[in-house]
Amino acid sequence: MSTPRFESIRDIPLFADMAQESFDALTRGSYVQNFPPNMVMISEGETPDFLHIVQSGCVELFSTWSNRETSVTTLYENSTFILAATIKDQLILTSARTLQKSRIIMIPSENVRSVFKTDPEFAMAIVEELSRCYRATIKNMKNLKLRTSLERLANYLLKQHRRQGDVLEYQLPIEKRRLASYLGMTPENLSRAFNNLKPYGVAVDGQTITITDMATLVAFAKPDILID
Amino acid sequence: MSTPRFESIRDIPLFADMAQESFDALTRGSYVQNFPPNMVMISEGETPDFLHIVQSGCVELFSTWSNRETSVTTLYENSTFILAATIKDQLILTSARTLQKSRIIMIPSENVRSVFKTDPEFAMAIVEELSRCYRATIKNMKNLKLRTSLERLANYLLKQHRRQGDVLEYQLPIEKRRLASYLGMTPENLSRAFNNLKPYGVAVDGQTITITDMATLVAFAKPDILID
DNA sequence: CGGTTCTTTGAGGACCATCAATACGCGTGG
DNA sequence: CCACGCGTATTGATGGTCCTCAAAGAACCG
């Protein structure tokens, strides 16, 4: 018996190859929920009862310690979160909040673990997704430790440029203060960093970024497939 | 047909639960190699032909960019590396060098991928190991972004204290300059950081650490199960 | 339109990196 | 056993980067 409610996620890579029977078992007891912007869905330290998937909207993973907060990553359509905690059934390491109105699919962790054991295609997809997230985090850490804040910003702008279809003018997808936190700097410093990138071919007006001199920007940023 | 050469690794968590038949298939074409200290075994950007496992000794994962280098993590007995790259068959993100004389087991990546598909126990072990590494990396990043260098050092010393059996006096397992790189600071600054920890109950003499006031050190470090 | 939040700009200071010089530790070979 | 050389560790001086604090301007929202 197929559950039409979840057919919209049937095509995402995590589920694309699995048997229909497994998919139905997985989504049994799952549900879809709409969240308003700026809503904390999960707090670090909790138990992972559900694997979460962003169907639409935008989610920030962040973490706090001793009155400080940092943005770990930003997730868009079809991204999963809480996957590693779900698999190991251990405490969740990062909190999650919506940045926009978002539609989130929640699959009981128990379902994920049991279907993992019976459906090799799903197991393969899980391990691919985990590897992808893991590698992304390693890249993130290399970015933080090997580059200055100005270099990180330059590479972030180049990456967005590519993600948005190689246009020279585009909108930042997130608020600057969150971008600052993601890049490991303060909002004040991000503001100055934008100014400092001006001679390297970047113009900023509000949320609008214009790359005015691609060659110079690339020469400064030195993007690297093993980081970006 | 069992291959006695590899029986010594049969018990490590990654292989403990798998069928003997799968284990034999996995280790076919594998080999064990001894490396001297300070030997680069793998360079970032290479293709993952073998899954590596540290049988004895000590391995540092590190990364370079634009004439800078940083230590990503240090691995001891029974740790795997190059796992995510092996699974996704993508470029290796970190280089690996021995810190001591080390014995390394190398399993053909193709074996890992094929046995993964046929042995659910192995698949489960792989996904557990991946999750563990992934979570460790997230913790590492939180540590870097949420704490000052002094706090990172204090928590590192506490973690070593626990790892070495709750003794108040122990030896640092790695050189200070590598510790500095791991903690995201320069050797000079690490040296000063040790001095700055003196009032918080830490005495240093060469490689020997003595915790002279545990309560004060803990109060300063504020260790957290979601980071450490 | 008023209040809130975000962003920008400036000034000051803390922290950290760099450079330089010395001391220490260790292994090699005389 | 000692002398030497090499890499590491420490210490001091200096400068740059980045954070904090403060205030003003801009954008957003009820």
Side-chain angles (χ1 to χ4, degrees), chain B residues 71-144:
Chain B
S71 177
V72 174
T73 189
T74 309
L75 305 172
Y76 304 92
E77 286 79 23
N78 292 355
S79 292
T80 63
F81 54 105
I82 323 295
L83 181 53
T86 289
I87 284 162
K88 289 195 75 80
D89 201 16
Q90 289 183 347
L91 297 184
I92 290 168
L93 295 180
T94 58
S95 305
R97 73 159 71 90
T98 52
L99 296 186
Q100 309 165 2
K101 188 168 175 304
S102 300
R103 198 171 168 81
I104 307 293
I105 297 160
M106 298 165 72
I107 301 175
S109 299
E110 194 42 58
N111 294 17
V112 175
R113 286 192 288 267
S114 67
V115 175
F116 179 91
K117 287 175 190 156
T118 58
D119 190 315
E121 303 293 344
F122 181 61
M124 196 68 214
I126 286 278
V127 90
E128 292 254 348
E129 169 73 1
L130 257 182
S131 298
R132 195 186 59 75
C133 294
Y134 178 30
R135 284 169 61 87
T137 307
I138 293 278
K139 288 176 176 181
N140 202 338
M141 186 154 87
K142 289 172 62 175
N143 192 34
L144 283 167

Coordinates of all heavy atoms in Angstrom, one line a residue, chain B residues 71-144:
Chain B
S71 N 46.8 20.0 11.3 CA 46.5 18.6 11.8 C 45.0 18.5 12.0 O 44.4 19.2 12.6 CB 47.2 18.4 13.1 OG 46.9 17.1 13.6
V72 N 44.5 17.4 11.3 CA 43.0 17.2 11.4 C 42.7 16.3 12.6 O 41.8 16.6 13.4 CB 42.5 16.6 10.1 CG1 41.0 16.3 10.2 CG2 42.7 17.6 9.0
T73 N 43.4 15.2 12.7 CA 43.2 14.4 13.9 C 44.3 13.4 14.0 O 45.2 13.2 13.1 CB 41.8 13.6 13.7 OG1 41.5 12.9 14.9 CG2 41.9 12.6 12.6
T74 N 44.4 12.7 15.1 CA 45.4 11.7 15.4 C 44.7 10.4 15.6 O 43.8 10.3 16.4 CB 46.3 12.1 16.6 OG1 46.8 13.4 16.4 CG2 47.5 11.2 16.7
L75 N 45.2 9.3 15.0 CA 44.6 8.0 15.1 C 45.5 7.0 15.8 O 46.7 7.0 15.6 CB 44.3 7.5 13.7 CG 43.5 8.4 12.8 CD1 43.4 7.8 11.4 CD2 42.1 8.6 13.4
Y76 N 44.9 6.2 16.6 CA 45.6 5.1 17.3 C 45.1 3.8 16.9 O 44.4 3.6 15.9 CB 45.5 5.4 18.9 CG 46.0 6.8 19.3 CD1 45.1 7.8 19.3 CD2 47.3 7.0 19.6 CE1 45.5 9.1 19.7 CE2 47.7 8.3 19.9 CZ 46.8 9.3 20.0 OH 47.2 10.6 20.3
E77 N 45.5 2.7 17.7 CA 45.1 1.4 17.3 C 43.7 1.2 16.9 O 42.8 1.8 17.6 CB 45.4 0.4 18.5 CG 46.9 0.1 18.8 CD 47.5 1.3 19.6 OE1 46.8 2.1 20.2 OE2 48.7 1.4 19.4
N78 N 43.4 0.4 15.9 CA 42.1 0.0 15.5 C 41.3 1.1 14.8 O 40.1 0.9 14.6 CB 41.3 -0.6 16.7 CG 41.9 -1.9 17.1 OD1 42.8 -2.5 16.5 ND2 41.4 -2.5 18.2
S79 N 41.9 2.2 14.6 CA 41.2 3.3 13.8 C 41.3 3.0 12.3 O 42.3 2.5 11.8 CB 41.8 4.6 14.2 OG 41.5 5.0 15.5
T80 N 40.2 3.3 11.6 CA 40.3 3.3 10.2 C 40.5 4.7 9.6 O 40.2 5.7 10.3 CB 38.9 2.8 9.6 OG1 37.9 3.7 10.0 CG2 38.5 1.4 10.2
F81 N 41.0 4.7 8.4 CA 41.0 6.0 7.7 C 40.8 5.8 6.2 O 41.0 4.7 5.7 CB 42.2 6.9 8.1 CG 43.6 6.3 7.9 CD1 44.4 6.7 6.8 CD2 44.1 5.4 8.8 CE1 45.6 6.1 6.6 CE2 45.4 4.9 8.7 CZ 46.1 5.2 7.6
I82 N 40.4 6.9 5.6 CA 40.1 6.8 4.1 C 38.7 6.1 3.9 O 38.5 5.6 2.8 CB 41.2 6.2 3.3 CG1 42.5 6.5 3.8 CG2 41.0 6.6 1.8 CD1 42.9 8.0 3.7
L83 N 37.9 6.0 5.0 CA 36.7 5.2 4.8 C 35.7 5.9 3.9 O 35.1 5.2 3.0 CB 36.1 4.9 6.2 CG 34.8 4.1 6.3 CD1 35.0 2.8 5.5 CD2 34.4 3.8 7.7
A84 N 35.4 7.1 4.2 CA 34.4 7.8 3.4 C 34.8 7.9 1.9 O 34.0 7.7 1.0 CB 34.1 9.2 4.0
A85 N 36.0 8.2 1.7 CA 36.5 8.3 0.3 C 36.4 7.0 -0.4 O 36.0 6.9 -1.6 CB 38.0 8.8 0.3
T86 N 36.7 5.9 0.4 CA 36.6 4.6 -0.2 C 35.2 4.2 -0.6 O 34.9 3.7 -1.7 CB 37.0 3.5 0.9 OG1 38.4 3.6 1.1 CG2 36.7 2.1 0.5
I87 N 34.2 4.6 0.2 CA 32.8 4.3 0.0 C 32.3 5.0 -1.2 O 31.6 4.5 -2.1 CB 32.0 4.5 1.2 CG1 32.2 3.4 2.2 CG2 30.5 4.6 0.8 CD1 31.8 3.8 3.6
K88 N 32.6 6.3 -1.3 CA 32.1 7.1 -2.4 C 33.0 7.1 -3.6 O 32.7 7.6 -4.6 CB 31.9 8.6 -1.9 CG 30.8 8.8 -0.9 CD 30.4 10.2 -0.8 CE 29.6 10.8 -2.0 NZ 28.2 10.4 -2.0
D89 N 34.2 6.5 -3.4 CA 35.1 6.4 -4.5 C 35.5 7.8 -5.0 O 35.4 8.0 -6.2 CB 34.7 5.5 -5.6 CG 35.8 5.0 -6.5 OD1 37.0 5.1 -6.1 OD2 35.6 4.5 -7.6
Q90 N 35.7 8.7 -4.1 CA 36.1 10.0 -4.5 C 37.5 10.4 -3.9 O 38.0 9.6 -3.1 CB 35.0 11.0 -3.9 CG 33.7 10.9 -4.7 CD 32.7 11.9 -4.2 OE1 32.8 12.5 -3.2 NE2 31.6 12.0 -5.0
L91 N 37.9 11.6 -4.3 CA 39.3 11.9 -3.9 C 39.5 12.0 -2.4 O 38.6 12.5 -1.7 CB 39.7 13.3 -4.5 CG 39.7 13.3 -6.1 CD1 40.2 14.6 -6.6 CD2 40.6 12.2 -6.6
I92 N 40.6 11.6 -1.9 CA 41.0 11.6 -0.5 C 41.2 13.1 -0.1 O 41.8 13.9 -0.7 CB 42.2 10.8 -0.3 CG1 41.9 9.3 -0.5 CG2 42.8 11.0 1.1 CD1 43.1 8.4 -0.5
L93 N 40.6 13.5 1.1 CA 40.6 14.8 1.5 C 41.7 15.2 2.5 O 42.1 16.4 2.6 CB 39.3 15.2 2.2 CG 38.0 15.1 1.3 CD1 36.8 15.5 2.2 CD2 38.2 16.1 0.2
T94 N 42.3 14.2 3.1 CA 43.4 14.5 4.1 C 44.6 13.5 3.8 O 44.4 12.4 3.5 CB 43.0 14.3 5.5 OG1 42.5 12.9 5.7 CG2 41.9 15.3 5.9
S95 N 45.8 14.1 4.0 CA 47.0 13.2 3.9 C 47.1 12.5 5.2 O 46.5 12.8 6.2 CB 48.2 14.1 3.7 OG 48.0 14.9 2.5
A96 N 48.0 11.4 5.2 CA 48.2 10.7 6.4 C 49.7 10.4 6.6 O 50.3 9.9 5.6 CB 47.4 9.4 6.3
R97 N 50.2 10.6 7.8 CA 51.6 10.3 8.0 C 51.7 9.5 9.4 O 50.9 9.8 10.3 CB 52.5 11.5 8.0 CG 52.3 12.4 9.3 CD 53.5 13.3 9.5 NE 53.7 14.4 8.5 CZ 53.1 15.6 8.7 NH1 52.4 15.9 9.7 NH2 53.3 16.5 7.7
T98 N 52.7 8.6 9.4 CA 52.9 8.0 10.7 C 53.6 8.9 11.7 O 54.4 9.8 11.2 CB 53.9 6.8 10.5 OG1 55.0 7.2 9.8 CG2 53.2 5.7 9.7
L99 N 53.3 8.9 12.9 CA 54.0 9.6 13.9 C 55.0 8.8 14.7 O 56.0 9.2 15.2 CB 53.0 10.3 14.9 CG 52.1 11.3 14.4 CD1 51.2 11.9 15.5 CD2 52.8 12.3 13.6
Q100 N 54.7 7.5 14.7 CA 55.6 6.5 15.2 C 55.8 5.3 14.2 O 55.1 5.3 13.2 CB 55.1 5.9 16.6 CG 54.7 6.9 17.6 CD 53.8 6.3 18.7 OE1 53.6 5.1 18.7 NE2 53.4 7.2 19.6
K101 N 56.6 4.4 14.5 CA 56.7 3.2 13.8 C 55.3 2.5 13.8 O 54.8 2.4 14.9 CB 57.8 2.3 14.4 CG 58.1 1.0 13.7 CD 59.4 0.4 14.3 CE 59.7 -1.0 13.7 NZ 58.6 -1.9 13.8
S102 N 54.7 2.2 12.7 CA 53.3 1.8 12.7 C 53.1 0.6 11.8 O 53.7 0.5 10.8 CB 52.4 3.0 12.3 OG 52.5 4.0 13.2
R103 N 52.1 -0.2 12.2 CA 51.7 -1.3 11.4 C 50.3 -1.0 10.8 O 49.4 -0.8 11.6 CB 51.7 -2.5 12.3 CG 51.7 -3.9 11.6 CD 51.9 -4.9 12.7 NE 51.7 -6.3 12.2 CZ 52.6 -6.9 11.5 NH1 53.8 -6.4 11.3 NH2 52.3 -8.1 11.0
I104 N 50.2 -1.0 9.5 CA 49.0 -0.6 8.8 C 48.4 -1.7 8.0 O 49.2 -2.4 7.2 CB 49.3 0.6 7.9 CG1 50.0 1.7 8.7 CG2 48.0 1.1 7.3 CD1 49.2 2.4 9.8
I105 N 47.2 -2.0 8.1 CA 46.5 -3.0 7.3 C 45.8 -2.2 6.1 O 45.1 -1.2 6.4 CB 45.4 -3.7 8.1 CG1 46.2 -4.5 9.2 CG2 44.6 -4.7 7.3 CD1 45.2 -4.9 10.4
M106 N 45.9 -2.8 5.0 CA 45.4 -2.1 3.8 C 44.5 -3.1 3.1 O 44.9 -4.2 2.6 CB 46.5 -1.6 2.9 CG 47.4 -0.6 3.6 SD 48.9 -0.3 2.7 CE 48.4 0.6 1.3
I107 N 43.2 -2.7 3.0 CA 42.2 -3.6 2.3 C 41.7 -2.9 1.1 O 41.3 -1.8 1.1 CB 41.0 -3.8 3.3 CG1 41.5 -4.4 4.6 CG2 39.9 -4.6 2.7 CD1 40.4 -4.5 5.7
P108 N 41.7 -3.7 0.0 CA 41.3 -3.1 -1.3 C 39.9 -2.5 -1.2 O 39.0 -3.1 -0.7 CB 41.3 -4.3 -2.3 CG 42.3 -5.2 -1.7 CD 42.2 -5.1 -0.2
S109 N 39.8 -1.2 -1.7 CA 38.5 -0.5 -1.6 C 37.4 -1.3 -2.3 O 36.3 -1.4 -1.8 CB 38.6 0.8 -2.3 OG 39.6 1.6 -1.6
E110 N 37.8 -2.0 -3.4 CA 36.8 -2.8 -4.1 C 36.2 -3.9 -3.2 O 34.9 -4.1 -3.2 CB 37.4 -3.4 -5.4 CG 36.4 -3.9 -6.4 CD 35.2 -3.0 -6.5 OE1 35.4 -1.8 -6.9 OE2 34.1 -3.5 -6.3
N111 N 37.0 -4.5 -2.4 CA 36.5 -5.5 -1.5 C 35.5 -4.9 -0.5 O 34.5 -5.5 -0.2 CB 37.7 -6.1 -0.7 CG 38.6 -6.9 -1.6 OD1 38.6 -6.7 -2.8 ND2 39.5 -7.7 -1.0
V112 N 35.9 -3.7 0.0 CA 35.0 -3.1 1.0 C 33.6 -2.9 0.4 O 32.6 -3.2 1.0 CB 35.6 -1.8 1.5 CG1 34.7 -1.0 2.4 CG2 36.9 -2.0 2.2
R113 N 33.6 -2.3 -0.8 CA 32.3 -2.0 -1.4 C 31.5 -3.3 -1.7 O 30.3 -3.3 -1.6 CB 32.6 -1.2 -2.7 CG 33.0 0.3 -2.4 CD 32.9 1.1 -3.6 NE 34.0 0.9 -4.6 CZ 35.2 1.5 -4.6 NH1 35.4 2.5 -3.7 NH2 36.1 1.2 -5.4
S114 N 32.2 -4.3 -2.2 CA 31.4 -5.5 -2.6 C 30.9 -6.3 -1.3 O 29.8 -6.7 -1.3 CB 32.3 -6.4 -3.5 OG 33.3 -6.9 -2.8
V115 N 31.8 -6.4 -0.3 CA 31.3 -7.1 0.9 C 30.2 -6.3 1.6 O 29.3 -6.8 2.2 CB 32.5 -7.4 1.9 CG1 32.0 -8.0 3.2 CG2 33.5 -8.3 1.2
F116 N 30.3 -5.0 1.5 CA 29.3 -4.1 2.1 C 27.9 -4.5 1.6 O 26.9 -4.6 2.3 CB 29.5 -2.6 1.8 CG 28.5 -1.7 2.3 CD1 28.6 -1.1 3.6 CD2 27.3 -1.4 1.6 CE1 27.7 -0.3 4.1 CE2 26.4 -0.6 2.1 CZ 26.5 0.0 3.4
K117 N 27.8 -4.9 0.3 CA 26.5 -5.2 -0.3 C 26.0 -6.5 0.1 O 24.8 -6.8 0.0 CB 26.6 -5.1 -1.8 CG 26.8 -3.7 -2.3 CD 27.0 -3.6 -3.9 CE 27.3 -2.2 -4.3 NZ 28.1 -2.2 -5.5
T118 N 26.9 -7.5 0.5 CA 26.5 -8.8 0.7 C 26.4 -9.2 2.2 O 25.7 -10.1 2.5 CB 27.5 -9.8 0.0 OG1 28.8 -9.6 0.5 CG2 27.5 -9.6 -1.5
D119 N 27.1 -8.5 3.0 CA 27.1 -8.8 4.5 C 26.5 -7.7 5.3 O 27.1 -6.6 5.5 CB 28.5 -9.1 4.9 CG 28.6 -9.6 6.3 OD1 27.8 -9.1 7.2 OD2 29.3 -10.6 6.6
P120 N 25.2 -7.9 5.8 CA 24.5 -6.8 6.5 C 25.2 -6.4 7.8 O 25.2 -5.3 8.2 CB 23.1 -7.4 6.8 CG 23.0 -8.6 5.9 CD 24.4 -9.1 5.6
E121 N 25.9 -7.4 8.4 CA 26.6 -7.1 9.7 C 27.7 -6.2 9.4 O 28.0 -5.2 10.2 CB 27.1 -8.4 10.3 CG 26.1 -9.5 10.6 CD 25.1 -9.1 11.7 OE1 25.4 -8.1 12.4 OE2 24.0 -9.7 11.8
F122 N 28.4 -6.4 8.3 CA 29.5 -5.6 8.0 C 29.0 -4.2 7.6 O 29.6 -3.2 8.0 CB 30.3 -6.2 6.8 CG 31.5 -5.4 6.4 CD1 32.5 -5.1 7.3 CD2 31.6 -4.9 5.1 CE1 33.6 -4.3 6.9 CE2 32.7 -4.1 4.7 CZ 33.7 -3.8 5.6
A123 N 27.9 -4.2 6.8 CA 27.3 -2.9 6.5 C 27.0 -2.1 7.7 O 27.2 -0.9 7.8 CB 26.1 -3.1 5.6
M124 N 26.4 -2.8 8.7 CA 26.1 -2.1 9.9 C 27.3 -1.5 10.6 O 27.3 -0.4 11.1 CB 25.3 -3.1 10.8 CG 24.6 -2.4 12.0 SD 23.2 -1.4 11.4 CE 23.1 -0.1 12.6
A125 N 28.4 -2.3 10.6 CA 29.6 -1.9 11.3 C 30.2 -0.7 10.6 O 30.7 0.2 11.2 CB 30.6 -3.1 11.3
I126 N 30.1 -0.7 9.2 CA 30.7 0.4 8.5 C 29.9 1.7 8.8 O 30.5 2.7 9.0 CB 30.5 0.1 6.9 CG1 31.5 -0.9 6.5 CG2 30.6 1.4 6.1 CD1 32.9 -0.4 6.2
V127 N 28.6 1.6 8.8 CA 27.8 2.7 9.1 C 28.0 3.2 10.5 O 28.0 4.4 10.8 CB 26.3 2.4 8.7 CG1 25.6 1.9 9.9 CG2 25.7 3.6 8.1
E128 N 28.2 2.3 11.4 CA 28.5 2.8 12.8 C 29.9 3.5 12.8 O 30.0 4.5 13.5 CB 28.6 1.5 13.7 CG 27.3 0.8 13.9 CD 26.7 1.1 15.3 OE1 27.4 1.6 16.2 OE2 25.5 0.8 15.5
E129 N 30.9 2.9 12.2 CA 32.2 3.6 12.2 C 32.1 4.9 11.5 O 32.7 5.9 12.0 CB 33.2 2.7 11.4 CG 34.5 3.3 11.1 CD 35.4 3.4 12.4 OE1 35.0 3.1 13.5 OE2 36.5 4.0 12.2
L130 N 31.4 5.0 10.4 CA 31.3 6.3 9.7 C 30.6 7.3 10.6 O 31.0 8.5 10.7 CB 30.4 6.1 8.4 CG 31.1 6.1 7.1 CD1 30.1 6.0 6.0 CD2 31.9 7.3 6.9
S131 N 29.5 6.9 11.3 CA 28.8 7.8 12.1 C 29.7 8.3 13.3 O 29.7 9.5 13.6 CB 27.6 7.1 12.7 OG 26.7 6.7 11.7
R132 N 30.5 7.4 13.8 CA 31.4 7.7 14.9 C 32.4 8.8 14.4 O 32.6 9.8 15.1 CB 32.1 6.4 15.4 CG 32.8 6.6 16.7 CD 33.6 5.3 17.0 NE 34.6 5.1 16.0 CZ 35.8 5.8 15.9 NH1 36.0 6.7 16.7 NH2 36.6 5.5 14.9
C133 N 33.0 8.5 13.3 CA 34.0 9.5 12.8 C 33.3 10.9 12.5 O 33.9 11.9 12.8 CB 34.6 9.0 11.5 SG 35.6 7.5 11.7
Y134 N 32.1 10.8 11.9 CA 31.4 12.0 11.5 C 31.1 12.8 12.8 O 31.4 14.0 12.9 CB 30.1 11.6 10.8 CG 29.2 12.8 10.4 CD1 29.7 14.0 10.1 CD2 27.8 12.6 10.3 CE1 28.9 15.0 9.8 CE2 27.0 13.6 9.9 CZ 27.5 14.8 9.7 OH 26.7 15.8 9.3
R135 N 30.6 12.1 13.8 CA 30.2 12.8 15.1 C 31.5 13.4 15.7 O 31.5 14.5 16.3 CB 29.5 11.9 16.0 CG 28.0 11.7 15.6 CD 27.4 10.5 16.4 NE 27.3 10.8 17.8 CZ 26.4 11.4 18.4 NH1 25.4 11.9 17.8 NH2 26.4 11.6 19.7
A136 N 32.6 12.6 15.7 CA 33.8 13.1 16.2 C 34.3 14.4 15.5 O 34.8 15.4 16.2 CB 34.9 12.1 16.1
T137 N 34.1 14.5 14.2 CA 34.5 15.7 13.5 C 33.6 16.9 13.8 O 34.0 18.0 13.9 CB 34.4 15.4 12.0 OG1 35.2 14.2 11.7 CG2 35.0 16.5 11.2
I138 N 32.3 16.6 14.0 CA 31.4 17.7 14.4 C 31.8 18.2 15.7 O 31.9 19.4 15.9 CB 29.9 17.2 14.4 CG1 29.4 16.8 13.0 CG2 29.0 18.2 15.1 CD1 28.9 18.0 12.2
K139 N 32.1 17.3 16.6 CA 32.6 17.8 18.0 C 33.8 18.6 17.8 O 34.0 19.6 18.5 CB 32.8 16.5 18.9 CG 31.6 15.8 19.3 CD 31.9 14.6 20.1 CE 30.7 13.9 20.7 NZ 31.1 12.7 21.5
N140 N 34.7 18.1 17.0 CA 36.0 18.8 16.8 C 35.7 20.3 16.3 O 36.3 21.2 16.7 CB 36.8 18.1 15.7 CG 38.3 18.4 15.8 OD1 38.7 19.4 16.3 ND2 39.1 17.5 15.3
M141 N 34.8 20.4 15.4 CA 34.4 21.7 14.8 C 33.8 22.6 15.9 O 34.1 23.8 16.0 CB 33.5 21.6 13.6 CG 33.3 22.9 13.0 SD 32.9 22.7 11.3 CE 31.2 22.5 11.4
K142 N 32.9 22.0 16.7 CA 32.3 22.8 17.8 C 33.4 23.3 18.7 O 33.4 24.4 19.2 CB 31.3 22.0 18.5 CG 30.0 21.7 17.7 CD 29.1 20.7 18.4 CE 28.6 21.1 19.8 NZ 27.6 20.2 20.4
N143 N 34.3 22.4 19.0 CA 35.4 22.7 19.9 C 36.2 23.9 19.4 O 36.4 24.9 20.1 CB 36.3 21.5 20.0 CG 37.4 21.6 21.1 OD1 37.1 22.2 22.2 ND2 38.5 21.1 20.9
L144 N 36.4 23.9 18.1 CA 37.2 25.0 17.4 C 36.5 26.3 17.4 O 37.0 27.4 17.6 CB 37.6 24.6 16.0 CG 38.7 23.6 15.8 CD1 38.8 23.1 14.4 CD2 40.1 24.3 16.2

